[in-house]
Amino acid sequence: MLESFSAETLARMQFAFTVSFHIIFPAFSIGLASYLAVLNALWLKTRDETYLHLFTYWKKIFAMAFGMGVVSGIVMSYQFGTNWAVFSDKAGPVIGPLMGYEVLSAFFLEAGFLGIMLFGRNRVGDGLHMFATAMVAAGTLFSATWIIAVNSWMQTPQGHGINELGQFVPEDWMAIIFSPSFPYRLVHMVLAAYLTTALVVGGVGAWHLLRDRLDPTARRMFSMAMWMILFVAPLQIFAGDQHGLNTLEHQPTKVMAMEGHFESHPDGAPLILFGWPDQEAQEMKYSVEIPKLSSLILKHSWDAPLDGLDTVAREDQPPVAIVFWSFRVMVGLGFCFLGLAIWSVTKRAMGRLYDSPWLQRVAVLLGPTGFIAVLAGWITTEVGRQPFTVYGLLRTSDSLSPVQAPAVAASLAGFAVVYFFVFGAGTIYILAMMAKPAATPRLGLRDGPIRTAGLTPAQQSNPDALHDD
């Protein structure tokens, strides 16, 4: 089935496949680590056991998501050496140190304190346990910072020179790290992680509320998640708009593809809501448009001119249909999240937040869609950068290793089979944990009375300790 694809296409498919699996786990663990830090702080401050039950419940899910994120990330790093060795050779002097900083400053921080956070509540003091939980949360944010710095440099490269071997060599590290798109991209990604986690927590809380609307842990997680979505969703829409303006300045071709503008519009460009991009014919078919609204959004003027893809050579254009539709999926879901936030705050004001089955059903339905929005945004960003790996400087076709298509096809098939079993099993296990109420004690011999030599009942173990193993 894969014989008709080139080695480059297969290598791109392989990287897209693995990065799509990988990105959902960090996106979840970044938000969940911060949520755990908040829950732990609230437990220490209030001694309300609801927070402790929620911390114990979500930390197990975090551990699974963190582990799968690490494994899926390691696989990606090998692909830089197998399929993209030329890219690694040319961009390695810039990207290698940044990835090294990520491991040294972020991953070590996460891994170093993870054990204390997971198993240390009854083994270290409350202060050290809280510090460890906060460090794990900080580590996930540092990790995102370094990865986004790498990606931003690939999108808007600066601060480098090119030596006689054609390699990008660092000349100004501050310019490399803080490239023009870095702050917008970092804020957009971190907010996306928080929003994704809030949707999952809210969906799980809603699921259990539909079964027992008096469950205090379900009520607490649902309420906290709805507050978080109400706070983050509008911020994310604003951040996305600012990110779009930055992209228009530094990567205008990507915005042309996102907007579906094949033609230039000297007197104001329409906002194309829907349509069918025909890249071969260089036109948008069956389009539904709002006149001049794109100019108003992108340049704050009804009559502002906007260039189209007719100003870009065809060999420099990204795949328009993919970028056009993935962008609409991301934006459409973003406004769905805002609608959920407004609905929930309205119900809260009416005193019916926990007594609205339809609100909770919609929250369950939207629970996993944060991951879809993250993937759609990532596709928009990465496919919109094509045909370059380093924007404007290094083409994807010139970044490929000297590999043969059958070899890449075989490894892609192998990845698909392994990922299906490994991450499929992990995802099913996480869903099974989420299906249990937060305060449900674990089943098994360790939760029953402890006896010695089968004769004398021993003292009942501490329930908190049982939860914390």
Side-chain angles (χ1 to χ4, degrees), residues 78-427:
Y78 283 108
Q79 289 180 63
F80 287 117
T82 54
N83 294 347
W84 304 103
V86 179
F87 166 77
S88 299
D89 175 59
K90 292 188 178 299
V94 172
I95 290 178
L98 295 179
M99 298 294 284
Y101 300 151
E102 192 267 342
V103 173
L104 289 173
S105 66
F107 184 70
F108 281 10
L109 194 63
E110 295 172 281
F113 286 100
L114 183 64
I116 299 175
M117 187 191 83
L118 293 178
F119 307 110
R121 178 175 299 283
N122 295 317
R123 296 175 175 84
V124 300
D126 285 343
L128 178 55
H129 186 260
M130 181 66 232
F131 180 74
T133 305
M135 288 300 99
V136 172
T140 61
L141 291 173
F142 286 153
S143 178
T145 300
W146 288 116
I147 297 300
I148 294 297
V150 171
N151 186 263
S152 297
W153 178 80
M154 293 167 65
Q155 302 276 351
T156 52
Q158 69 172 21
H160 63 272
I162 298 178
N163 66 16
E164 65 279 5
L165 300 175
Q167 296 172 312
F168 299 96
V169 291
E171 292 181 346
D172 183 345
W173 278 112
M174 295 304 288
I176 289 172
I177 295 170
F178 297 100
S179 63
S181 64
F182 169 75
Y184 301 92
R185 206 176 299 279
L186 178 62
V187 170
H188 200 44
M189 184 64 215
V190 171
L191 288 177
Y194 285 157
L195 192 53
T196 297
T197 303
L199 286 161
V200 173
V201 173
V204 173
W207 172 267
H208 293 297
L209 274 177
L210 287 169
R211 280 148 183 76
D212 180 7
R213 63 187 177 88
L214 299 180
D215 181 346
T217 54
R219 293 164 74 99
R220 187 67 56 83
M221 75 170 91
F222 185 68
S223 177
M224 292 178 75
M226 292 303 108
W227 278 125
M228 191 64 181
I229 295 170
L230 179 66
F231 177 69
V232 175
L235 277 179
Q236 179 68 313
I237 292 173
F238 176 74
D241 176 68
Q242 297 300 303
H243 185 20
L245 297 179
N246 177 266
T247 305
L248 178 65
E249 181 180 355
H250 297 283
Q251 296 177 295
T253 305
K254 183 189 293 186
V255 175
M256 295 172 196
M258 291 161 57
E259 297 291 319
H261 289 159
F262 285 103
E263 299 177 355
S264 297
H265 299 276
D267 301 319
L271 177 65
I272 301 174
L273 298 175
F274 303 103
W276 184 254
D278 186 339
Q279 194 155 5
E280 184 65 28
Q282 293 283 288
E283 64 179 3
M284 181 66 68
K285 295 182 176 177
Y286 319 116
S287 62
V288 178
E289 305 175 354
I290 300 177
K292 300 196 176 186
L293 188 55
S294 185
S295 286
L296 181 66
I297 295 172
L298 291 171
K299 292 199 171 181
H300 303 159
S301 170
W302 292 102
D303 300 317
L306 276 177
D307 290 336
L309 290 164
D310 53 358
T311 63
V312 181
R314 288 202 180 196
E315 61 269 24
D316 291 339
Q317 295 179 7
V320 177
I322 297 174
V323 179
F324 179 81
W325 281 109
S326 60
F327 177 66
R328 272 146 190 76
V329 169
M330 177 187 67
V331 172
L333 285 173
F335 281 99
C336 287
F337 304 154
L338 180 63
L340 177 65
I342 295 172
W343 190 4
S344 68
V345 77
T346 303
K347 289 293 184 183
R348 191 189 298 272
M350 297 167 62
R352 299 193 56 195
L353 180 65
Y354 310 113
D355 304 323
S356 303
W358 276 109
L359 171 63
Q360 287 141 21
R361 290 187 186 110
V362 171
V364 171
L365 184 66
L366 290 178
T369 55
F371 297 114
I372 298 174
V374 167
L375 287 173
W378 195 255
I379 290 170
T380 302
T381 295
E382 299 307 305
V383 178
R385 180 183 42 160
Q386 296 301 320
F388 299 100
T389 47
V390 181
Y391 192 71
L393 299 174
L394 181 62
R395 287 182 173 274
T396 305
S397 57
D398 296 329
S399 303
L400 190 67
S401 303
V403 291
Q404 301 298 316
V408 185
S411 58
L412 174 58
F415 275 124
V417 172
V418 172
Y419 272 49
F420 177 79
F421 285 105
V422 174
F423 294 108
T427 302

Side-chain angles (χ1 to χ4, degrees), residues 21-53:
F21 265 92
H22 174 66
I23 193 172
I24 60 176
F25 296 114
F28 188 34
S29 57
I30 289 170
L32 205 50
S34 295
Y35 181 52
L36 288 171
V38 170
L39 288 173
N40 205 33
L42 289 172
W43 151 247
L44 293 176
K45 181 179 180 182
T46 66
R47 295 298 173 180
D48 181 343
E49 290 201 349
T50 305
Y51 293 118
L52 180 60
H53 286 310

